[in-house]
Amino acid sequence: MDPITLRVLLGALRSACDEMNVVLIRAAHSANIKERRDCSTALFDARGEMIMQAEAIPVHLGAMPASVEAVLDEDHVRGRAWVLNDPYKGGTHLPDITVITPVFARDELLAFAACRAHHADVGGKIPGSMPADSKTLDEEGVVIEPRVLDGEAIEELAGRMRQPDQRRADFRAQLAANRAGEARVHELVERNGLEQVREAMDEVLDYAERRTRSCLAELEDGTRTASDRLEAIGSDLELRLAATVDGDELRLDFTGSPEQHDGNLNCPLSVTRSACYFAARVLTDPDIPPSAGAYRPITVVAPEGSLLNARAPAAVVAGNVETSSRIADLVLEAFGRATGQGTMNNVTVGDDDFTYYETIGGGQGACPDADGPSGVHVAMSNTLNTPVEALELEFPLRITQYAIRRGSGGAGARRGGDGVVREIEALDDGLTYSLLTERRRHPPRGADGGGDGERGRNQLDGQAIEPKAIGTLNAGERLRLETPGGGGHGRESDG
């Protein structure tokens, strides 16, 4: 295929994914999707390889191929969609629910349209289904093994979750997003012909692979190592990485990291791969088409039964949001990069009538040629905040402070970005809160002589609370998060 035709069709596929994402956001009812945009969309070929994605949530997208693989051998017919969230059968953590719709052209299976959305509740033991202290998967909510998603399934699943009307609406928004992707693929076939569209899908994969290999070949061969700690309840867990560049291939080996534990920082292998793929994009060229082809030169090794390749029924709710962040940090540290805040700062507040879930931005690590940005979602998260006006309109909560945490970024020739202060006041009694945060005991690291970023802090009415915490808020009580700053790069005297 000539380069111009490839570029035009590549752009059309990307546009289709972007439109799917817009449909999902505009059709959803929960604030977590419609305001924070905690959702992702992608197109896959008939073999289950990701062709293109909307640039949405990294932790979703690198793991979504496992979801499509989980339904690949099912009986596919036009209009029959599939749904799942089981972390051990194609999912990540239970609030992230994936819907997959086959796309047929001339009675042939050509592609799959897929979307993943973080539902505000999936029936876990606390409102929001993000418990800080879960030990098994069942405590975290309804486990959905791959099944057909039709009207009956929507009613049954929503009925097992809090705010069922909102859950029904969000399921239907996901179906609508996939229908938009299906319609755009049909239009491409009508304009260009089935064979050319199929050829373009293959070419996108090969093109992304070539460009990734070219970038990897520019890195110095050899093995680099890194280690860092996760802040589990009561102790730390040390992760280890050996990153080996060999010509135009990259091997990321986490052998030596801990066994899966009895908390919820465990990861299914799909999440570990997702974090590695994100970091590899940072190290190569983010302009490379975000497709499965870009991942072909990358091998990820995590022993089965370890924290980074856990077995059922281990709890995983924090693995998807917090451990994934640390995995990305490890890869970037191994290649001499300063790290960002290294946490999504997950906060959930709710009762049986409402659920507020938020990830909060912080400082990004500095680069050799630029300061790190402040108050942004870093690495595996790419969501927005919930606007104060929308939050206070919908929930019995008040934001009493929302500001940049000045001076929290690491010093250096290039400074790390500053974190954020966000303080939430309860307006009702008996609200359950849950915090899943990191970098409260160990700071984000600087690079090449740059200073570390400031550690984060969690407080309840001015009293310090742990990185992983769960409890009750009554009217007038305030939950305060001060998020970490990013690491600096280079010595200040070199600036």
Side-chain angles (χ1 to χ4, degrees):
M1 180 174 290
D2 69 89
I4 294 175
T5 301
L6 175 60
R7 177 58 69 174
V8 169
L9 290 174
L10 192 156
L13 291 166
R14 170 65 185 273
S15 179
C17 293
D18 288 342
E19 183 175 344
M20 291 170 64
N21 213 48
V22 169
V23 169
L24 178 48
I25 289 164
R26 291 186 175 179
H29 283 212
S30 63
N32 195 50
I33 302 172
K34 70 182 180 182
E35 299 287 358
R36 294 188 57 250
R37 304 186 182 185
D38 196 345
C39 57
S40 302
T41 53
L43 290 172
F44 294 75
D45 67 15
R47 300 183 301 266
E49 291 196 88
M50 188 168 70
I51 301 300
M52 189 53 60
Q53 65 183 41
E55 295 282 21
I57 313 301
V59 75
H60 287 179
L61 292 161
M64 214 185 294
S67 299
V68 178
E69 182 181 355
V71 303
L72 203 57
D73 295 331
E74 299 289 351
D75 182 20
H76 297 295
V77 299
R78 195 184 305 271
R80 178 185 289 167
W82 300 85
V83 64
L84 61 91
N85 74 349
D86 187 340
Y88 301 104
K89 294 185 179 178
T92 50
H93 67 175
L94 299 184
D96 284 344
I97 297 179
T98 306
V99 176
I100 303 157
T101 303
V103 179
F104 287 83
R106 300 174 191 167
D107 297 324
E108 292 183 38
L109 179 62
L110 174 63
F112 293 94
C115 63
R116 175 169 287 168
H118 183 121
H119 285 241
D121 186 88
V122 289
K125 71 174 189 173
I126 65 167
S129 306
M130 296 281 290
D133 59 351
S134 55
K135 295 181 180 297
T136 65
L137 200 59
D138 287 342
E139 294 180 291
E140 298 177 347
V142 175
V143 180
I144 309 170
E145 296 186 7
R147 61 178 291 182
V148 172
L149 184 64
D150 53 19
E152 183 180 341
I154 289 174
E155 288 300 317
E156 191 243 306
L157 292 172
R160 297 165 64 192
M161 303 173 183
R162 296 175 183 86
Q163 297 95 51
D165 287 346
Q166 195 176 82
R167 302 288 76 72
R168 292 186 194 99
D170 289 348
F171 277 125
R172 290 174 181 138
Q174 289 187 262
L175 289 170
N178 285 0
R179 284 195 294 270
E182 182 181 14
R184 296 299 164 259
V185 172
H186 286 158
E187 290 175 4
L188 277 178
V189 172
E190 289 172 8
R191 288 201 305 267
N192 300 278
L194 177 58
E195 292 308 315
Q196 188 171 58
V197 171
R198 187 180 283 121
E199 182 184 359
M201 290 179 173
D202 290 338
E203 286 284 348
V204 167
L205 294 170
D206 293 342
Y207 173 61
E209 180 182 1
R210 289 195 302 272
R211 288 192 58 183
T212 303
R213 289 189 182 279
S214 177
C215 290
L216 291 174
E218 294 176 3
L219 299 174
E220 184 179 348
D221 280 3
T223 298
R224 303 154 172 85
T225 60
S227 63
D228 208 337
R229 286 169 287 186
L230 285 166
E231 298 166 353
I233 294 174
S235 64
D236 291 337
L237 301 170
E238 187 172 27
L239 304 185
R240 298 181 180 276
L241 168 68
T244 302
V245 177
D246 184 5
D248 61 0
E249 296 191 348
L250 173 63
R251 178 183 173 90
L252 301 172
D253 189 343
F254 295 92
T255 301
S257 294
E259 297 295 301
Q260 66 185 59
H261 77 135
D262 64 354
N264 57 28
L265 286 161
N266 304 293
C267 285
L269 184 58
S270 60
V271 170
T272 298
R273 286 175 174 158
S274 185
C276 291
Y277 295 157
F278 164 80
R281 288 198 72 199
V282 173
L283 295 170
T284 53
D285 183 350
D287 189 49
I288 294 171
S291 72
Y295 309 148
R296 287 173 179 170
I298 302 165
T299 301
V300 177
V301 178
E304 186 177 357
S306 70
L307 190 78
L308 305 184
N309 185 5
R311 299 187 185 100
V316 297
V317 70
N320 186 61
V321 288
E322 298 303 284
T323 308
S324 68
S325 300
R326 190 66 66 256
I327 294 166
D329 283 352
L330 274 177
V331 178
L332 295 175
E333 275 192 62
F335 286 87
R337 302 293 184 96
T339 57
Q341 66 166 342
T343 174
M344 295 192 198
N345 302 297
N346 305 267
V347 54
T348 310
V349 182
D351 57 20
D352 285 340
D353 296 322
F354 84 96
T355 300
Y356 158 70
Y357 169 67
E358 183 96 75
T359 61
I360 302 175
Q364 178 60 284
C367 297
D369 58 351
D371 293 341
S374 300
V376 295
H377 284 80
V378 171
M380 302 309 293
S381 175
N382 189 33
T383 58
L384 302 180
N385 64 2
T386 304
V388 172
E389 299 84 353
L391 186 155
E392 294 184 345
L393 180 66
E394 186 164 344
F395 308 123
L397 303 169
R398 179 184 293 125
I399 301 299
T400 54
Q401 185 177 2
Y402 187 35
I404 297 294
R405 188 185 175 201
R406 302 292 180 187
S408 55
R414 298 292 184 178
R415 286 194 62 88
D418 289 333
V420 162
V421 177
R422 193 161 172 98
E423 188 174 77
I424 305 159
E425 181 181 353
L427 302 182
D428 282 351
D429 290 332
L431 306 183
T432 300
Y433 75 85
S434 179
L435 300 181
L436 289 168
T437 64
E438 282 284 324
R439 296 298 195 197
R440 271 50 181 179
R441 296 199 284 261
H442 307 287
R445 294 171 179 166
D448 195 27
D452 293 343
E454 289 288 332
R455 293 175 295 171
R457 290 197 289 259
N458 302 335
Q459 295 178 335
L460 176 59
D461 275 355
Q463 300 298 311
I465 52 178
E466 291 296 309
K468 314 292 186 295
I470 192 166
T472 301
L473 285 176
N474 291 313
E477 293 182 331
R478 295 182 179 185
L479 196 61
R480 181 183 179 90
L481 280 79
E482 299 179 8
T483 70
H489 193 285
R491 292 177 175 82
E492 284 188 278
S493 59
D494 297 334

